[in-house]
Amino acid sequence: MSAVKRWICRFRILLIRQLRSPSFWVVAALMLLLQFYISSVSLPTAMNRAVGLYQGSGVLAGKVVEDLLETKSSYKWTLYDSTEALADAVRTGEVDCGFALDEKLDAAAEKAASSLETPDLNGCVDYYYTTSSTKGASAKESVFAGVLGAVSPVILDSAVASGAIFQDAGPDVREQVQKNLETVLSGDALLTVHFEVYGGSEDENMDRETAAASPAMNAGGLAGILLFLSALLFAAARFRSDSARVSAYFRRGRALYRSLEIFAPLLVTGLIIAVLLLAGHKTGIAQVLLLVPVLFLTSVWCAGFVRLFRHEGVYLFFSTGLTVVSAVLCSSAGSLFLLNSVRWLKFLLPAYWIQAVLML
């Protein structure tokens, strides 16, 4: 039997032993549950540019929402069919913040028209936010610009009819003023919010930030962290007496055996998570095939890392810290300017390798 066949046979034995181990299935089930749960929710992030909208009854509310959805913006406006759905989306981080518009705008406009006063818009738009919301202040500019654009005809008509602008203005004057107002509003000189993007085109930045905040990104990044954590846990087998006795049998092939000892359970765990990602259309077949050699490289990396320690407790402590570092650097938090000097470290971590393959 050739050396390659012997190592294939040894890998099969390691794989069968893992498949018969209840502790392995417990670890795999926990990883699968974490992957399923966390990837099914949207976590609040400063890079989330999604803003929720709710359109209740009312003509003016419909005009404002339609204008926001059709006008190009730095925000991704998302329409919800109820205030409860909007509140849940804000609370879970699916959107950064939200605005609810309804018939209160029409009521304020009608009251102003009947009394020839400026509409009181206080409390006409409900704002939903959390402590994680970062886009609310600037998103309000777009929303209230739309509101003012919708009620401007009422404001101007009330000013003309009350004599605040023209004395004894008749119907012809009021009609001409409204036509002039429509001409002004059709341009972008007033009531328009402009955004300037530096460091790349607006479309490129929007695509990059949307991808970073999307569930697919969360799923791929989480899979990388969980599989790296799994590899570190499987590498702890080095401290077991039975594993030490078997590895002592090998001389030149001891490093390869240690790597295969980690790779056998990691391959099964990785394929289970990959099937979950495939079912959710968050990765593809090609990415799964590329994942296999990356998992082997991860096993080699962990086999070398565990050799730096003599005591299992110390190893597990450093493994936990390394997992936390990987989670920070490989998530959207890694783009914070505070981490600019250490951001390059993620390229040395297997969690980033796995994430990069799944996100191809």
Side-chain angles (χ1 to χ4, degrees):
M1 182 182 296
S2 64
V4 175
K5 290 184 177 180
R6 284 198 299 269
W7 281 111
I8 293 176
C9 183
R10 291 162 185 164
F11 177 72
R12 287 181 55 193
I13 295 173
L14 288 171
L15 190 60
I16 294 173
R17 187 179 69 177
Q18 292 296 333
L19 294 177
R20 292 178 178 178
S21 172
S23 60
F24 162 73
W25 288 110
V26 170
V27 173
L30 288 175
M31 297 299 172
L32 186 63
L33 288 174
L34 284 172
Q35 176 71 32
F36 177 78
Y37 174 74
I38 298 181
S39 62
S40 64
V41 300
S42 300
L43 301 178
T45 168
M47 301 183 73
N48 185 9
R49 288 185 175 269
V51 178
L53 294 172
Y54 166 71
Q55 176 188 337
S57 59
V59 178
L60 294 180
K63 291 181 62 177
V64 175
V65 171
E66 181 181 2
D67 180 66
L68 290 172
L69 294 176
E70 293 181 355
T71 303
K72 185 178 180 180
S73 172
S74 291
Y75 303 110
K76 179 183 178 182
W77 303 100
T78 305
L79 187 62
Y80 292 90
D81 56 5
S82 67
T83 54
E84 292 78 10
L86 176 60
D88 288 339
V90 174
R91 185 166 49 249
T92 60
E94 182 178 338
V95 295
D96 181 82
C97 57
F99 299 87
L101 302 95
D102 52 25
E103 66 279 358
K104 288 183 288 188
L105 286 174
D106 289 312
E110 291 174 2
K111 180 179 179 181
S114 61
S115 60
L116 300 181
E117 297 177 351
T118 301
D120 182 10
L121 302 178
N122 186 32
C124 290
V125 179
D126 295 325
Y127 174 52
Y128 294 81
Y129 67 99
T130 67
T131 55
S132 300
S133 298
T134 60
K135 308 299 184 297
S138 55
K140 287 179 182 179
E141 298 290 336
S142 297
V143 173
F144 287 105
V147 171
L148 289 175
V151 301
S152 288
V154 178
I155 297 175
L156 187 58
D157 188 64
S158 299
V160 174
S162 64
I165 300 179
F166 302 105
Q167 293 292 332
D168 302 324
D172 294 339
V173 174
R174 295 171 65 179
E175 182 179 354
Q176 184 61 43
V177 168
Q178 290 295 332
K179 289 182 179 179
N180 293 338
L181 177 63
E182 291 178 3
T183 302
V184 173
L185 293 178
S186 62
D188 60 354
L190 295 176
L191 303 179
T192 302
V193 180
H194 294 279
F195 295 91
E196 294 186 11
V197 180
Y198 298 91
S201 68
E202 182 175 351
D203 292 336
E204 289 175 352
N205 287 343
M206 283 292 292
D207 292 341
R208 182 167 59 251
E209 292 180 358
T210 301
S214 66
M217 177 65 178
N218 290 337
L222 179 62
I225 298 301
L226 291 180
L227 290 176
F228 181 41
L229 175 60
S230 299
L232 291 173
L233 293 177
F234 295 141
R238 173 180 180 271
F239 300 99
R240 296 202 307 261
S241 57
D242 57 337
S243 175
R245 287 194 298 269
V246 174
S247 63
Y249 171 79
F250 302 98
R251 294 182 180 179
R252 297 180 180 178
R254 183 175 301 177
L256 179 58
Y257 175 79
R258 287 296 189 189
S259 300
L260 292 178
E261 191 177 34
I262 302 170
F263 181 58
L266 184 62
L267 178 63
V268 179
T269 307
L271 291 178
I272 292 174
I273 292 180
V275 169
L276 178 63
L277 296 179
L278 280 173
H281 304 286
K282 296 174 181 178
T283 191
I285 297 294
Q287 287 81 355
V288 174
L289 295 177
L290 287 174
L291 182 63
V292 176
V294 173
L295 291 180
F296 180 74
L297 291 177
T298 301
S299 303
V300 173
W301 192 97
C302 292
F305 179 71
V306 73
R307 293 186 62 184
L308 300 176
F309 303 90
R310 294 185 177 182
H311 302 285
E312 184 176 6
V314 178
Y315 167 74
L316 294 176
F317 174 80
F318 276 92
S319 296
T320 303
L322 190 59
T323 303
V324 173
V325 171
S326 300
V328 172
L329 294 179
C330 297
S331 67
S332 59
S335 61
L336 296 176
F337 72 94
L338 296 174
L339 301 176
N340 285 343
S341 60
V342 296
R343 191 180 303 166
W344 59 271
L345 288 174
K346 70 179 182 180
F347 299 105
L348 304 178
L349 300 173
Y352 178 77
W353 308 343
I354 299 171
Q355 173 184 328
V357 168
L358 293 175
M359 294 303 299
L360 285 176

